[in-house]
């Protein structure tokens, strides 16, 4: 167990220091590479990094589509499963903050159909499976669409 868990505002440098799983890094390279994506995500909207001790363990946030709606993203270190409960609890709190304090009514995420751990994770943070997207993403893999709608307008 780490002595210090710290959730802080995401910076592109955090993603570059994140020891991603090789498969995840390969997919991200197909989208332009980690440095470019990280810079775009830092500018796009609210995002956080969870540090375990002094190293980044997970980065995530949301890209706003239009007022009230956004696409969630997250990147994990290769050893994130060793800290799954702590990461999931922090992610759940971040999700609540997005819905309650950042003006989002709908959040969604696309999750590879063959990534059972990721599907369990998004369900834990409060998203529900809404559909299947054939040929989605840079690798044209099948993804499931998960979403959460929070009625905030009267």
């Amino acid at each position: 167990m780490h002595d210090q868990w710290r959730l802080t505002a995401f910076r592109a440098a955090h993603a570059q220091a994140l020891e991603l799983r090789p498969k995840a890094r390969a997919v991200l390279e197909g989208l332009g590479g980690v440095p470019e994506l990280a810079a775009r995500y830092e500018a796009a909207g609210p995002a956080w990094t969870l540090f375990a001790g002094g190293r980044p363990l997970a980065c995530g946030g949301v890209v706003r589509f239009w007022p009230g709606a956004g696409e969630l993203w997250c990147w994990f270190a290769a050893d994130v499963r060793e800290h799954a409960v702590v990461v999931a609890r922090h992610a759940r709190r971040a999700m609540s903050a997005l819905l309650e304090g950042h003006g989002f009514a709908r959040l969604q995420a696309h999750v590879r159909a063959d990534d059972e751990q990721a599907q369990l994770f998004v369900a834990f943070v409060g998203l529900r499976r809404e559909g299947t997207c054939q040929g989605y993403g840079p690798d044209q893999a099948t993804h499931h669409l998960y979403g959460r709608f929070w009625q905030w307008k009267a």
Side-chain angles (χ1 to χ4, degrees):
M1 182 68 88
H2 290 277
D3 294 332
Q4 183 179 4
W5 297 97
R6 182 173 51 96
L7 194 64
T8 186
F10 172 74
R11 298 291 175 252
H14 300 164
Q16 294 175 41
L18 192 64
E19 297 175 19
L20 290 167
R21 296 173 292 152
K23 187 174 183 179
R25 184 169 295 283
V27 169
L28 294 175
E29 292 301 325
L31 292 169
V34 172
E36 181 181 325
L37 282 171
R40 290 194 332 231
Y41 284 167
E42 181 179 351
W48 299 271
T49 301
L50 177 63
F51 283 87
R55 72 179 183 91
L57 184 62
C59 301
V62 64
V63 175
R64 193 178 301 270
F65 289 148
W66 49 79
E71 179 84 13
L72 296 164
W73 63 272
C74 60
W75 300 338
F76 297 114
D79 64 339
V80 72
R81 287 186 179 152
E82 297 172 25
H83 315 286
V85 173
V86 171
V87 171
R89 287 181 180 157
H90 278 86
R92 185 183 277 180
R93 282 193 283 271
M95 171 81 76
S96 293
L98 288 169
L99 291 168
E100 296 169 11
H102 289 276
F104 286 96
R106 175 175 174 76
L107 295 170
Q108 65 183 41
H110 288 84
V111 178
R112 283 183 60 109
D114 61 356
D115 191 340
E116 188 175 317
Q117 289 296 114
Q119 291 176 51
L120 292 171
F121 176 78
V122 296
F124 180 83
V125 299
L127 280 72
R128 291 187 332 198
R129 185 171 157 189
E130 297 178 337
T132 300
C133 305
Q134 301 286 331
Y136 188 83
D139 56 357
Q140 297 184 339
T142 298
H143 284 68
H144 296 307
L145 173 63
Y146 285 79
R148 181 167 173 189
F149 177 72
W150 186 56
Q151 186 82 30
W152 58 273
K153 292 183 180 180

